[in-house]
Amino acid sequence: MAQRSRAGTADRIRHLLETEGEAIHAQASHSNERRNVTYEATDDIEELRTEARAIKEDAIDRLPDLIETVREAVEANGGTVYVADDAADANAYVADVVENRTEENGVAGETDTPSVVKSKSMTTEEIDLNDALAAEGIDVTETDLGEWVLQVADDTPSHIVGPAMHISRAEIAELFNERFDPDEPFETAEELTRFARDHLGEIITDADVGITGANFVVADSGTITLVTNEGNARKCAVTPDTHVAVAGVEKLIPTLSDLEPFVDIIAKSATGQPISQYVTMLSPPTDSPTLDFDSPDEPITGGDAADDTGAPDGTGDPDRDFHLVLLDNGRTDMREDDQLRETLYCIRCGACSNSCANFQSVGGHGFGGETYSGGIATGWEAGVHGQDSAAEFNDLCTGCTNCVDACPVKIDIPWINTVVRDRVNRSSEPESYDFLVDGLTPDAESGGLDPGKRFFGNIGTVAKAASATAPVSNWLADAGPVRAALERTLGIDRRRDLPTFRRESLVDWFEDRGGEAASSRRADQAAARSGRTDLEREVVLYPDVYTNYVDVERGKAAVETLEALGVPVRVPDLPESGRAALSQGMIATADEQASRLYAAVAEDLDAGRDVVVVEPSDLAAMHREYERLLPETSFERLRENSYEICEYVYGLLENGADPSALSTGDGAEPIAYHSHCQQRTLALEAPTVAVLEQCGYAPTTSDAECCGMAGSFGYKREYYELSVDVGERLATQVEDAETVVASGTSCGDQLEALLERSVPHPIELLAPDGRRT
């Protein structure tokens, strides 16, 4: 699949924002809100998530054995198991089952068309089963309401759970009125649903074969579990005499007891329901009696007399047929891939999509590949369709980590996206001008890397050079010809304001004011004034790229706040954290930077100093990604001794530091506070709120998932409109506040552009000399 150009991607996103964005946002954000409420109301939600992950991890470990176990169980029940290598293999087998079964029953004569009814199944979407059956002359009808709407519209799913969420009720009514020409035009949702139920009910009644997916397959009993809200899946499974279940091999779980946490958590994660409307468990071929649609009032159970089929009364047709098609299609290779393996833990709930601000704007038709959509789609598409499919939308993941907290099995979805991004980078052919950067850029990446990604992945080097030449560098960067060149070569949208680099960096400022010795004197004096000389803490303030070279004021505010609370500070010139490189999929570079940073602070950690970080994304790298980049002991040591600045101030105040040493409000001064995405997922929003309250402010927090800027994402030409669309949701929430503060670099930049006023970091409100602007 050829990747779209930047202009093509921008056009595609713009179209989706205009045509589908409103409907997608309404549905996805509502599901996300309901999931949040349901998660919060579930006392044991973390235990459930941990248990579910452990079961999936164990199942994938034991997958070859579970395949043989389920084969034995299904065959003992009288059914058949077929393990399909790929899509073509699976489709051919299902087509043979339909044709052979209908011929045996005398259904398909010379002019008859075999008929199949299907329930919603992303796995059959993955293999294009409908098209394959149609090519064999088999009539296929989707019975899930959303999937049927798409079938009528000749459209594709935009969400794993809500496939037609991009289509409004009015649009569905217009579609049905045009297609089915009712006596009275459909208008209400009730009218549409009633028509669909009756229409599809007749088709199900007359169908030759029913095809379902399976949310879970219990290996030791051969039990197929269907979790739905419509009930159509169970009808497809038991009404026709033949039932075919198509499921990826990853759907296997060992025992029936292992099923319990998944039935509990899947509805909570997918739709925010305590439990789904229908949970159907079948160990087919079921001997459950089948309703006689010609005599609907006759009881379906009775005495011991045999009916005219020879089956005991009430047990149904003894010739019922069941086939479990287990699909590999790349899954075995994913299982052997240490970086993609976690993808197989997915239970297809769609929570990662709902929690993603970018998905809420463009849906799965933008944030998705050939089959799968949302955050986890990168892993699935790379695994089953190849990296080219994943590359089409992979950059829409900004690594905000909201999806990690949403995922019921705690999959590290951002890391999977980063790994695939890295692989896409490395699969690119070297450009003819790559020799120009070989040896000149400090990264560890091979040739062929997109120039824009190489630029943003080396932003520390860029910032250092821009700071050293400021203000000339700022003037040049804003010149029209330069902006045009940046857009053409690096993809930096000319509509986005660029950072203003400071000639004096934070590290320079700190040294010019006397360095560590002067900081110790100031801290000692402050401690003596407050009467608290027992805190005995020392801090290394991490000068991230933005704080060091652009927003130096927030760095100064952090230093002065800590000193005012009696804590001496060091601000050494430290290596980059690797966060910027990770955002571009440059894992080798990030690995080197993480190692250099740890080596640079190791002596401070030995001395018992705390590492305090202003930029939440850098702290998130230390607390999350470094687990994959550093030795375990090094990672744990740094994680346990590194803190976000307001979190650290909160700890000092809780341990007796005097808040009156800081700049304080009048006790009820209202401010609007937006917490950085990764600050939230690290559970650090609350300490900032608490500090602001202790210092006399009345903060209100935003509930927008993201600011939309996301580091380099908002600078890129192809994503500018999407970034602004997401940002405007946040800006609307806070625009009426007199004072707005934001913890993250990106958040502040986005809000300042949209609100056209200053948006400082919370620490600038707290600093004793009132650096607030």
Side-chain angles (χ1 to χ4, degrees):
M1 179 188 296
Q3 292 186 46
R4 293 188 185 95
S5 65
R6 285 195 178 103
T9 300
D11 289 344
R12 174 65 173 159
I13 288 175
R14 191 179 303 113
H15 172 74
L16 291 171
L17 289 171
E18 293 171 353
T19 59
E20 299 182 6
E22 185 176 351
I24 289 288
H25 180 254
Q27 296 290 335
S29 60
H30 180 61
S31 293
N32 191 48
E33 290 164 4
R34 289 183 58 180
R35 177 189 52 77
N36 287 336
V37 170
T38 303
Y39 269 24
E40 290 173 3
T42 306
D43 292 337
D44 62 343
I45 189 65
E46 289 308 312
E47 289 82 356
L48 269 175
R49 295 175 70 209
T50 300
E51 182 183 6
R53 180 182 174 87
I55 292 169
K56 288 293 291 184
E57 190 170 3
D58 173 63
I60 299 305
D61 281 343
R62 299 165 51 192
L63 192 54
D65 292 338
L66 293 183
I67 291 173
E68 294 310 309
T69 299
V70 78
R71 187 192 303 276
E72 293 173 5
V74 171
E75 290 176 352
N77 292 339
T80 302
V81 172
Y82 184 77
V83 180
D85 291 334
D86 54 27
D89 189 13
N91 290 336
Y93 181 84
V94 175
D96 284 345
V97 169
V98 175
E99 291 170 350
N100 292 338
R101 187 62 174 172
T102 52
E103 287 174 4
E104 288 173 11
N105 291 343
V107 174
E110 291 184 2
T111 60
D112 294 327
T113 301
S115 61
V116 166
V117 287
K118 281 180 73 261
S119 65
K120 188 170 80 65
S121 163
M122 291 305 297
T123 305
T124 60
E125 291 279 352
E126 175 188 322
I127 61 177
D128 293 322
L129 178 62
N130 289 11
D131 290 343
L133 295 180
E136 297 296 325
I138 299 168
D139 186 47
V140 183
T141 302
E142 295 284 354
T143 64
D144 172 84
L145 181 56
E147 288 285 359
W148 186 53
V149 167
L150 296 181
Q151 188 175 35
V152 173
D154 193 23
D155 201 351
T156 57
S158 60
H159 191 279
I160 291 175
V161 174
M165 65 160 49
H166 60 291
I167 307 177
S168 69
R169 179 198 54 75
E171 290 171 326
I172 295 172
E174 181 180 357
L175 172 69
F176 280 19
N177 288 329
E178 179 181 338
R179 177 68 178 271
F180 300 105
D181 191 23
D183 294 335
E184 294 292 332
F186 301 122
E187 294 181 357
T188 68
E190 183 180 1
E191 291 170 347
L192 291 165
T193 304
R194 184 185 299 113
F195 169 75
R197 181 188 61 200
D198 295 342
H199 181 85
L200 293 173
E202 293 178 4
I203 295 175
I204 293 171
T205 299
D206 296 333
D208 300 318
V209 174
I211 298 178
T212 71
N215 294 95
F216 309 99
V217 180
V218 180
D220 69 352
S221 63
T223 301
I224 308 301
T225 304
L226 305 170
V227 183
T228 71
N229 276 330
E230 296 180 22
N232 62 299
R234 62 171 60 172
K235 292 179 182 178
C236 291
V238 304
T239 302
D241 291 331
T242 300
H243 173 203
V244 179
V246 182
V249 292
E250 82 284 355
K251 296 295 185 72
L252 288 166
I253 57 175
T255 69
L256 197 61
S257 62
D258 293 323
L259 184 61
E260 182 178 356
F262 294 105
V263 171
D264 192 355
I265 204 169
I266 189 170
K268 290 179 171 65
S269 304
T271 57
Q273 296 170 268
I275 193 167
S276 291
Q277 298 285 353
Y278 301 96
V279 178
T280 303
M281 298 170 62
L282 304 168
S283 299
T286 177
D287 60 0
S288 300
T290 304
L291 179 67
D292 182 353
F293 287 94
D294 293 328
S295 304
D297 296 329
E298 292 294 320
I300 60 174
T301 58
D304 295 330
D307 61 21
D308 57 10
T309 69
D313 189 16
T315 63
D317 188 344
D319 293 328
R320 289 185 63 78
D321 194 21
F322 172 68
H323 298 260
L324 173 60
V325 179
L326 292 174
L327 179 68
D328 188 327
N329 204 35
R331 287 162 173 79
T332 297
D333 290 339
M334 292 168 70
R335 179 177 176 268
E336 299 304 316
D337 187 325
D338 289 342
Q339 305 296 351
L340 291 186
R341 183 187 181 98
E342 261 192 290
T343 306
L344 298 175
Y345 301 170
C346 172
I347 64 173
R348 309 283 181 84
C349 68
C352 59
S353 298
N354 298 333
S355 67
C356 175
N358 283 346
F359 184 93
Q360 289 176 17
S361 286
V362 298
H365 290 158
F367 200 151
E370 294 183 39
T371 303
Y372 297 102
S373 58
I376 196 63
T378 289
W380 281 118
E381 291 292 323
V384 305
H385 293 312
Q387 284 183 185
D388 284 348
S389 180
E392 276 293 296
F393 63 93
N394 172 257
D395 283 345
L396 284 169
C397 173
T398 61
C400 73
T401 66
N402 281 329
C403 56
V404 179
D405 285 355
C407 177
V409 286
K410 301 183 178 182
I411 300 173
D412 193 347
I413 296 170
W415 180 254
I416 293 172
N417 279 281
T418 300
V419 167
V420 173
R421 195 169 300 172
D422 181 77
R423 293 177 181 181
V424 170
N425 291 345
R426 293 177 184 279
S427 67
S428 301
E429 291 294 326
E431 300 285 350
S432 59
Y433 56 80
D434 271 350
F435 73 92
L436 294 174
V437 296
D438 284 347
L440 298 179
T441 55
D443 61 65
E445 307 306 313
S446 59
L449 184 64
D450 175 84
K453 289 188 176 183
R454 194 181 291 276
F455 175 86
F456 284 112
N458 289 296
I459 198 64
T461 302
V462 174
K464 185 174 183 178
S467 175
T469 56
V472 174
S473 58
N474 297 318
W475 177 81
L476 285 174
D478 277 337
V482 174
R483 291 306 304 264
L486 290 174
E487 185 172 82
R488 184 176 61 255
T489 60
L490 303 180
I492 299 174
D493 197 288
R494 69 182 71 192
R495 291 167 290 184
R496 179 67 71 181
D497 292 337
L498 298 178
T500 300
F501 293 96
R502 300 283 294 273
R503 183 61 176 264
E504 182 183 52
S505 70
L506 177 65
V507 171
D508 293 339
W509 170 84
F510 184 78
E511 289 303 316
D512 289 345
R513 75 197 285 266
E516 183 179 357
S519 182
S520 293
R521 287 195 301 273
R522 291 184 176 92
D524 289 344
Q525 292 167 359
R529 287 194 298 270
S530 67
R532 288 302 305 266
T533 58
D534 57 342
L535 289 176
E536 297 182 350
R537 310 300 302 179
E538 294 181 55
V539 159
V540 174
L541 185 72
Y542 177 62
D544 64 87
V545 170
Y546 198 86
T547 305
N548 196 27
Y549 296 116
V550 180
D551 194 357
V552 178
E553 292 305 310
R554 71 178 185 178
K556 295 177 182 179
V559 170
E560 291 165 355
T561 297
L562 293 171
E563 291 173 346
L565 296 176
V567 178
V569 181
R570 291 184 64 237
V571 186
D573 188 5
L574 294 173
E576 289 182 71
S577 70
R579 163 55 62 194
L582 284 172
S583 72
Q584 309 307 313
M586 298 164 59
I587 294 179
T589 300
D591 188 281
E592 285 191 2
Q593 291 173 341
S595 296
R596 289 202 299 268
L597 177 56
Y598 180 79
V601 299
E603 288 188 10
D604 290 301
L605 297 175
D606 289 342
R609 298 186 183 97
D610 302 314
V611 177
V612 173
V613 183
V614 177
E615 175 57 42
S617 60
D618 288 281
L619 184 71
M622 297 175 193
H623 283 212
R624 289 184 182 271
E625 283 83 6
Y626 277 21
E627 183 174 12
R628 302 176 185 271
L629 304 177
L630 294 179
E632 182 178 358
T633 54
S634 301
F635 163 68
E636 293 290 350
R637 192 166 176 233
L638 182 56
R639 183 177 66 173
E640 291 172 3
N641 294 282
S642 55
Y643 308 86
E644 189 266 341
I645 179 61
C646 288
E647 171 198 18
Y648 197 79
V649 170
Y650 172 76
L652 294 174
L653 296 179
E654 286 293 292
N655 284 278
D658 184 6
S660 66
L662 306 181
S663 178
T664 58
D666 60 8
E669 184 176 342
I671 59 172
Y673 166 55
H674 176 67
S675 178
H676 187 280
C677 295
Q678 288 162 329
Q679 188 182 32
R680 293 183 187 182
T681 57
L682 292 174
L684 296 178
E685 179 183 53
T688 302
V689 172
V691 167
L692 290 169
E693 290 175 339
Q694 287 185 58
C695 290
Y697 300 99
T700 57
T701 58
S702 67
D703 58 12
E705 281 78 15
C706 183
C707 70
M709 187 68 183
S712 64
F713 181 81
Y715 286 102
K716 295 179 179 179
R717 176 187 175 190
E718 58 266 47
Y719 305 125
Y720 176 80
E721 281 91 352
L722 174 55
S723 171
V724 171
D725 185 72
V726 173
E728 284 177 344
R729 296 182 213 141
L730 170 60
T732 299
Q733 289 189 16
V734 301
E735 62 186 353
D736 293 332
E738 181 178 343
T739 301
V740 180
V741 295
S743 294
T745 296
S746 300
C747 312
D749 284 351
Q750 180 82 299
L751 285 171
E752 286 185 348
L754 295 174
L755 299 177
E756 297 182 336
R757 55 188 164 114
S758 176
V759 178
H761 189 285
I763 200 67
E764 294 179 71
L765 263 67
L766 303 173
D769 67 349
R771 290 186 173 273
R772 169 180 172 183
T773 56

